């Protein structure tokens, strides 16, 4: 970063005011971000997020699970009717 040379105190004051305003803006952005994060971390959102992730997983693997279990269920019904 290049060292800035000032010609007057007014330029220094102007840059200091700009830096002060940028600092306040960044602070308010941080506070707002913290509040949004705090609001999003509720029991309902956490549980909802867990269920949605499991729902996605099982919706993809559901046919594979059925293909693996279906023969066992059919054999169980056949053996139940025979009395075995």
């Amino acid at each position: 970063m290049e060292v800035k040379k000032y010609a007057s105190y007014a330029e220094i004051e102007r840059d200091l005011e700009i830096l002060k305003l940028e600092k306040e803006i960044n602070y308010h952005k941080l506070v707002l971000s913290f509040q949004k994060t705090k609001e999003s971390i509720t029991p309902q959102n956490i549980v909802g997020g867990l269920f949605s992730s499991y729902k996605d997983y099982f919706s993809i693997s559901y046919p594979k699970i059925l293909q693996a279990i279906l023969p066992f269920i059919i054999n169980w019904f056949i053996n139940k009717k025979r009395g075995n």
Side-chain angles (χ1 to χ4, degrees):
M1 184 174 176
E2 188 177 321
V3 177
K4 189 171 183 180
K5 295 184 181 179
Y6 293 100
S8 68
Y9 284 111
E11 290 178 10
I12 296 172
E13 291 294 324
R14 188 191 73 220
D15 279 356
L16 287 174
E17 185 67 26
I18 290 171
L19 290 172
K20 179 183 172 189
L21 291 173
E22 287 176 348
K23 179 182 170 185
E24 285 182 37
I25 290 169
N26 288 331
Y27 174 76
H28 287 292
K29 283 181 182 180
L30 180 66
V31 169
L32 181 62
S33 175
F34 179 75
Q35 287 175 348
K36 285 182 180 181
T37 303
K38 192 170 105 176
E39 290 171 1
S40 70
I41 300 178
T42 61
Q44 294 114 353
N45 289 342
I46 292 171
V47 171
L50 286 174
F51 281 129
S52 68
S53 64
Y54 281 115
K55 186 180 92 177
D56 292 341
Y57 173 73
F58 283 119
S59 67
I60 293 170
S61 62
Y62 186 69
K64 292 178 183 178
I65 293 170
L66 279 179
Q67 287 176 352
I69 295 177
L70 196 57
F72 293 109
I73 294 172
I74 292 171
N75 285 335
W76 181 75
F77 276 117
I78 291 172
N79 289 335
K80 185 178 178 186
K81 287 199 170 208
R82 287 186 191 164
N84 291 339

